[in-house]
Amino acid sequence: MAEPQFTDAIALLKADHRRVEDLFEKFEGAKSAERKQALAHEICVELKIHTLIEEEIFYPAFRGLIEDDTLDEAYVEHDGAKVLINDIEAGSPDDAFYDAKVKVLSEEIKHHVHEEEMPSEGMFAQCRKTDVDLVALRDAMAARKKELLAQAKTDGLPAAKPTAVNLLAA
Ligand SMILES: [Fe+2]
Ligand SMILES: [Fe+2]
């Protein structure tokens, strides 16, 4: 078997964060509609998979072991991002507000990543103080991620589903 790519679950999630930050940066510099659409799609796929593995595997492993508020706010922040992700996926760079939506999504993600990675009080810092097996979590998330990446390539991923926020009918 190949050497695991990341030392533990937190290293895996942080690498996802860096990859998506890099994609947002590339989007800022993109000129053509084609390139913007391709980058935005890549960002949305990355974020859908990342939020899924966190919500299915990582966050539940720490419920009751770290601050409830930290976890609750993370779900709500994910839901806020999902609204923009689905909207961006359904649209195209010629639409009004398209660049603004990508920009605001990047700002929301930046805030959220800070909440997760912030030293001492942040979610990951709290998680490190528990005795949850971060290597087992890494393996579970890597397996699920592989499955979702394959799905993204073949059938495409379904729209992101909010977990905590109730969407009112328009
Ligand atoms: Fe994250
Ligand atoms: Fe998150």
Side-chain angles (χ1 to χ4, degrees):
M1 216 177 94
E3 280 286 297
Q5 215 180 336
F6 306 107
T7 49
D8 65 17
I10 290 172
L12 182 152
L13 293 174
K14 282 171 119 177
D16 277 0
H17 293 167
R18 300 295 85 79
R19 191 163 42 247
V20 104
E21 281 164 7
D22 181 58
L23 288 168
F24 277 124
E25 209 170 291
K26 286 190 174 132
F27 184 93
E28 288 245 332
K31 299 274 182 288
S32 74
E34 221 181 3
R35 174 99 174 122
K36 282 188 187 184
Q37 181 124 39
L39 285 164
H41 177 64
E42 225 184 306
I43 289 168
C44 290
V45 169
E46 284 285 337
L47 289 175
K48 279 187 197 176
I49 294 177
H50 186 81
T51 52
L52 277 170
I53 63 173
E54 283 188 339
E55 291 187 24
E56 287 177 0
I57 299 163
F58 191 83
Y59 293 176
F62 296 96
R63 182 63 82 180
L65 302 174
I66 67 169
E67 282 175 30
D68 272 327
D69 287 354
T70 303
L71 284 169
D72 290 350
E73 286 165 25
Y75 283 99
V76 174
E77 286 174 0
H78 279 190
D79 283 0
K82 288 173 198 168
V83 172
L84 283 175
I85 290 167
N86 290 339
D87 197 53
I88 290 164
E89 280 279 71
S92 80
D94 301 327
D95 297 345
F97 302 115
Y98 189 82
D99 287 3
K101 287 169 186 172
V102 176
K103 178 75 183 175
V104 172
L105 177 62
S106 81
E107 288 165 351
E108 288 183 5
I109 295 300
K110 192 174 170 188
H111 168 84
H112 178 71
V113 162
H114 177 70
E115 297 288 322
E116 289 185 342
E117 294 193 13
M118 189 170 36
S120 82
E121 297 301 305
M123 181 194 287
F124 293 167
Q126 293 182 49
C127 294
R128 283 218 181 276
K129 291 180 199 140
T130 70
D131 42 19
V132 169
D133 184 347
L134 289 171
V135 171
L137 274 190
R138 171 200 66 195
D139 292 343
M141 287 197 297
R144 181 68 176 127
K145 198 173 159 179
K146 205 172 153 196
E147 205 175 84
L148 288 164
L149 275 169
Q151 193 189 339
K153 281 207 187 92
T154 51
D155 311 329
L157 297 170
K161 255 180 52 205
T163 303
V165 171
N166 298 303
L167 295 183
L168 300 176

